[in-house]
Amino acid sequence: MFQASIFTLYPDMFPGPLGASLSGDALARGVWALETRNIREHGQGRHRAVDDTPAGGGPGMVIRADILAASLDAGILEGDTRPRLLMSPRGRPLTQARVRDLAAGPGVVVVCGRFEGVDERVIEGRGLEEVSIGDYVLSGGEIAAMVLLDACVRLLPGVMGKLASGSEESFENGLLEYPHYTRPREWEGRAIPEILLSGDHAKIEKWRRAEAERLTRERRPDLLG
Ligand code: SAH
């Protein structure tokens, strides 16, 4: 079973949207498991403080290395082979290929940053791999972790049936997906492309391939390399 362990200051945010729809059904059916660990349990003093001011000055607060490490050490058993990820705008951008790799493995340990982020030494000391969900800055890693989990869970066996296993989805073959249509046949004067109603599967496949290439060229020429 795919096991997700989330280290966060806001465990109440989970499962959040992951508790609904496909991922929620899969969670209820035991296709995957979700565990949250509150980093604050290892905080210091009466207020269970987890952060402190940045060395060298500057705005904001930084999550302390010793406190995050204590939380990780208490929450991860020896011999746990799951990748340890830290959601971070500085990380390698998440791709569908990486999602596929993660979904094929035993699960993930995900650390959610807050404030300015976490002390660099815990990233090194606990071998955390920084992963970004895009070139913008969120207020915390929780929503980023949910994005990563949602992408993984839909690929688990029995979650989406044959839908997600298809090779035609966006990014799976290095292209964006072709456009979709469904009934009614005509809507506000716009007709479904004739070829899709022809029943000629070879032609349909060729048209879809051409459309996927056109969209990718127009919108994401970077994918074509
Ligand atoms: N000062 C940091 C940003 C901190 S944002 C910097 O400039 O790099 C607070 C937390 O939100 C981060 O620690 C991280 O866990 C999360 N986060 C923000 N943007 C993210 C992104 N694009 N991808 C993944 N996690 C992100």
Side-chain angles (χ1 to χ4, degrees):
M1 197 213 310
F2 185 91
Q3 303 245 14
S5 297
I6 312 294
F7 290 78
T8 169
L9 290 168
Y10 297 96
D12 292 350
M13 285 190 177
F14 293 87
L18 299 176
S21 191
L22 284 177
S23 55
D25 294 342
L27 189 58
R29 283 188 287 122
V31 175
W32 67 294
L34 176 68
E35 166 199 53
T36 52
R37 296 264 170 182
N38 191 344
I39 299 166
R40 199 168 293 286
E41 278 175 23
H42 294 269
Q44 283 193 333
R46 209 158 55 85
H47 296 293
R48 298 242 160 255
V50 297
D51 55 338
D52 211 327
T53 54
M61 299 294 274
V62 176
I63 297 180
R64 288 172 53 135
D66 52 349
I67 287 164
L68 179 54
S71 175
L72 290 168
D73 294 348
I76 305 173
L77 298 176
E78 219 168 301
D80 189 332
T81 59
R82 291 175 296 169
R84 296 169 192 187
L85 313 178
L86 168 65
M87 303 320 296
S88 161
R90 294 191 325 197
R92 185 145 26 126
L94 187 64
T95 61
Q96 186 65 15
R98 186 73 208 282
V99 165
R100 211 165 252 294
D101 279 353
L102 290 172
V108 282
V109 170
V110 185
V111 179
C112 303
R114 278 273 156 185
F115 322 122
E116 291 307 319
V118 309
D119 188 306
E120 191 70 19
R121 293 169 294 177
V122 70
I123 303 177
E124 297 163 9
R126 290 299 177 273
L128 303 180
E129 178 195 339
E130 293 178 78
V131 176
S132 169
I133 65 158
D135 292 344
Y136 39 79
V137 180
L138 306 169
S139 54
E142 287 76 12
I143 293 175
M146 289 174 197
V147 167
L148 180 140
L149 288 177
D150 182 274
C152 290
V153 166
R154 66 190 287 282
L155 296 181
L156 298 176
V159 174
M160 284 201 65
K162 68 180 167 88
L163 278 178
S165 59
S167 60
E168 295 182 4
E169 278 198 310
S170 289
F171 310 115
E172 290 291 358
N173 53 8
L175 297 173
L176 302 179
E177 200 181 44
Y178 52 79
H180 298 290
Y181 298 89
T182 185
R183 277 184 276 273
R185 195 172 173 143
E186 193 175 311
W187 174 76
E188 292 193 351
R190 298 162 193 270
I192 294 176
E194 204 54 49
I195 203 158
L196 297 178
L197 308 169
S198 69
D200 184 335
H201 292 294
K203 266 198 186 148
I204 290 171
E205 206 178 304
K206 218 175 133 199
W207 179 88
R208 285 180 167 167
R209 172 85 198 180
E211 284 294 290
E213 286 171 0
R214 178 182 65 77
L215 286 171
T216 310
R217 220 179 307 114
E218 284 174 13
R219 299 179 184 180
R220 293 293 307 276
D222 57 297
L223 293 177
L224 298 170

